[in-house]
Amino acid sequence: MKYSHVFLDGTPCHLPVGKVVCVGRNYAAHARELGNAVPDAPILFMKPATALVALADGFAIPADRGECHHETEITVLIGKTLKAASLAECRAAIAGVTLGLDLTLRDVQNELKKKGYPWEVAKAFDGAAPLAAFIAPEAFADFTDVDFSLSVNGVQRQSGHSADMITPVLELLLYISRIFTLEPGDVVMTGTPEGVAALKPGDRLLLEMPGLRAESLVR
Ligand code: ZN
């Protein structure tokens, strides 16, 4: 099914579907679990719009390409153009907040990292960014005080709090906007806490944050 942005409460979303800007190693404990150094500036990469799928529809993972890991991430929908923006402009441009999965072919990524190659083959494939429905930003008084979790088959795998981000949400948008213009309908995935692990067909997922309880199935 073709992806479009939707709001949890059924409010129509007229934003187009744009690019996905992601940040790597934004939680120190996750950087350490993969044996990576904690970066001194955000590590950015992108997924194309074709990576987006609705979490609620369930999603397929590539077969025979090694482990496909879940990375559960607070995800922000951009509603206004941000180019070299101020923090206030970044705050005003957030049109929605939800959770998404930055699906990662970990074995493929490890090979790419070893060779010094870009990560897109491991991270930007079709369906590599399943997203839950968005919640209006007014529901979040403080983007640095959001907890969230992922359970797989009833067992909690990841649990994070946005206060543990190395670069917080608004500062991250500010930084990104100096490099890539963020346009209405773009999405920013803000990095994963520790606990990443492989998914397999048949896994039942539950992603939770305040105001959101999103179920999904790996097909
Ligand atoms: Zn990620």
Side-chain angles (χ1 to χ4, degrees), residues 23 45 71 73 102 123 191-192:
V23 56
F45 60 95
E71 297 191 354
E73 311 199 357
D102 165 18
K123 283 199 174 264
T192 187

